[in-house]
């Protein structure tokens, strides 16, 4: 049994910090990163009673492991909508994170005629709706524009520049990559038709397919407990994505209220946790 | 001849400060406003060698005035596109300034299915395109979404709340008011169809029609100078809007390069300024 620290990387931008260390991917340069208060990761580790010298010893030899199993709340609404407490996770979605910048010409909101405008925001708005339409039309794809900044961003000036973020996820890398290419082409076409320009920079994180063999045993454990077996992908990242690179990994999702996560309203029921424990015991027995 | 200070109100948010004082609309409470450095208007007036005691004396008696005449760059592209140096201003556009807030549900960008989202930003994007389409379809109307803020506004969270600004201007109040009502109804419809809510607050500034009699004489002066007479509305505000409340007002627009204004690139030619002086002398002679 393992509990991994700081999967989110909230303090040092080091996501999956615990599981990366366990899997042997700790990078020494992270030790010099500083939190918002100026404290380095090295200092924080010492203040917590830990030691840099101990990091190497955290690494596990893959040959000593029979697999990795993680129980997590779904962070989505699918189990709740199917009225089921548990589900077998098939994969962890890959992710494209892009920054898209439309540049037009700032101008006086009262004097520049509509026909002469090169408005970066209306171009961005057209593209945002394209992003939504493509994701709605592509099974399993989720696409989100979550961040946006306008320059100059004041009420009486036509926006000259709009920078926005795109978060694109799918269980299959090919679907996600194709969608990214389509959206980039759409951005170019919208910019061209509106006399503005667009820049695009993106980072890609591949999807992880969980172990077919372990997932089969997990499904058998659910069936043995008398519950229907449902399989679903994970849109969020998990420590299992890191562990899957050194050993076979499986995950069990537990229903959460309203699909709400990363929020004080996040909750699961005691009954659903009991069901997860019941299935986990059966799963471990099947492995024995 | 008068030169009015601070038409923009850049330092104290007191637009038309000079002309309002001249017209008798100075408000004593403005004296306690502070600039970004904490200096009050009262203190700034003293540091400039002025005195609060002198304010009342700035007020002019309407009966002592025969009219108000202002020469200004167009701040728009119409004269340039018609290859003319000068134009008679018919009116100063009225303005609707609105704050529009779409509220949906923030959620995890990786786990909330597209069909279950209540995304405040995609609702806002749909409305922004509606604003643009209505303005393009309505002669003389300009509409701008210039400011926008997202909550939480981070890349991996579906926006739960988007606040944006609307700037709507037209020479005729009825056209502007009707457009505002249409856009408000559209915002409601978009919100309704997307399961989000929308709030709307707005401030209305009526349009000003300049003096028909003075404008006729100004047109005659242009004609007498051998130039074609063109009439055009002003999308921007001017001191003439304030003076028009106490006396008959007229305005002459001078062509500016590319319609650019409020920008270091703002420029007029020496020839066009000479034409404006020539026409102004003829106009004053016609009044004499």
């Amino acid at each position: 049994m393992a509990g991994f620290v700081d999967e989110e990387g909230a303090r040092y931008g080091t996501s999956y910090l615990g599981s990366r260390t366990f899997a042997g991917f700790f990078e020494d340069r992270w030790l010099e990163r500083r939190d918002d208060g100026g404290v380095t990761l090295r200092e924080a580790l010492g203040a917590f009673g830990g030691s840099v010298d101990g990091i190497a010893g955290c690494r596990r030899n893959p040959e000593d492991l029979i697999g990795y199993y993680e129980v997590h709340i779904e962070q989505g609404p699918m189990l709740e909508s199917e009225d089921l407490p548990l589900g077998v996770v098939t994969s962890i979605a890959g992710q494209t994170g892009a920054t898209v910048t439309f540049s037009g010409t700032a101008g006086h909101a009262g004097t520049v005629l509509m026909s002469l405008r090169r408005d970066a925001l209306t171009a961005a708005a057209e593209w945002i709706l394209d992003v939504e339409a493509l994701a709605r039309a592509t099974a399993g794809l989720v696409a989100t524009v979550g961040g946006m900044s306008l320059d100059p961003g004041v009420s009486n000036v036509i926006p000259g520049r709009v920078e926005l973020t795109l978060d694109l996820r799918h269980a299959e890398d090919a679907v996600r990559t194709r969608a990214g290419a389509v959206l980039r082409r759409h951005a170019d076409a919208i910019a061209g038709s509106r006399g503005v320009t667009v820049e695009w920079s993106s980072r890609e994180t591949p999807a992880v397919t969980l172990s077919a063999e372990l997932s089969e045993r997990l499904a058998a454990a659910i069936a043995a407990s008398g519950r229907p077996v449902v399989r679903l992908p994970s849109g969020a990242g998990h420590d299992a994505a890191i562990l899957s690179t050194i050993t076979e990994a499986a995950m069990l999702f537990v229903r959460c209220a309203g699909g709400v996560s990363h929020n004080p309203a996040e909750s699961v029921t005691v009954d659903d946790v009991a069901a997860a424990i019941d299935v986990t015991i059966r799963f471990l027995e099947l492995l024995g």
Side-chain angles (χ1 to χ4, degrees), chain A:
Chain A
M1 186 122 61
F4 295 125
V5 71
D6 201 19
E7 186 241 284
E8 300 293 339
R11 187 167 174 187
Y12 290 103
T14 50
S15 57
Y16 307 112
L17 182 61
S19 52
R20 278 189 208 266
T21 305
F22 188 89
F25 304 135
F26 186 87
E27 299 185 25
D28 286 343
R29 61 194 172 92
W30 296 343
L31 290 167
E32 310 314 324
R33 289 198 184 183
R34 294 180 186 278
D35 68 9
D36 289 344
V39 178
T40 64
L41 175 54
R42 183 189 298 274
E43 290 163 352
L45 189 63
F48 194 68
S51 162
V52 171
D53 300 334
I55 292 174
C58 295
R59 179 177 191 160
R60 296 302 166 94
N61 182 345
E63 291 173 51
D64 296 340
L65 303 171
I66 57 168
Y68 174 79
Y69 171 67
E70 181 173 348
V71 181
H72 204 287
I73 66 162
E74 182 196 344
Q75 303 182 284
M78 196 181 296
L79 290 173
E80 190 177 66
S81 72
E82 300 202 10
D83 199 23
L84 291 172
L86 304 172
V88 179
V89 181
T90 54
S91 60
I92 297 172
Q95 186 178 357
T96 298
T99 302
V100 183
T101 307
F102 289 92
S103 298
T105 304
H108 193 301
T111 60
V112 184
L113 303 179
M114 297 307 292
S115 58
L116 298 171
R117 296 186 175 203
R118 300 195 303 134
D119 185 329
L121 179 59
T122 53
E126 192 175 338
W127 186 73
I128 288 167
L129 293 177
D130 263 7
V131 170
E132 182 185 50
L134 180 68
R136 283 180 170 174
T138 309
L141 185 70
V142 285
T144 307
V145 176
M148 196 163 174
S149 65
L150 278 59
D151 180 25
V154 295
S155 64
N156 62 351
V157 179
I158 300 158
R161 189 165 174 279
V162 173
E163 182 179 301
L164 38 79
T165 65
L166 171 68
D167 181 311
L168 204 58
R169 309 197 199 193
H170 195 276
E172 295 174 34
D173 290 336
V175 176
R176 177 178 49 81
T177 305
R178 194 181 311 122
V182 168
L183 291 176
R184 186 166 184 170
R185 180 163 50 77
H186 283 191
D188 288 338
I190 290 167
S193 73
R194 287 176 169 274
V196 306
T197 61
V198 64
E199 288 167 274
W200 179 289
S201 75
S202 63
R203 305 155 297 288
E204 315 282 334
T205 306
V208 170
T209 301
L210 294 173
S211 160
E213 188 184 335
L214 285 188
S215 298
E216 220 30 77
R217 296 204 194 179
L218 184 56
I222 293 174
S225 77
R227 298 180 177 88
V229 175
V230 64
R231 290 176 173 81
L232 71 173
S234 173
H238 298 289
D239 288 310
I242 301 299
L243 271 297
S244 72
T245 64
I246 62 164
T247 190
E248 292 187 295
M251 282 191 74
L252 181 70
F253 265 172
V254 182
R255 167 171 56 189
C256 65
V260 174
S261 182
H262 291 190
N263 188 304
E266 182 175 301
S267 74
V268 289
T269 66
V270 171
D271 281 352
D272 287 357
V273 172
I277 292 171
D278 174 41
V279 164
T280 295
I281 291 168
R282 292 173 188 274
F283 172 62
L284 294 174
E285 286 171 351
L286 284 173
L287 286 179

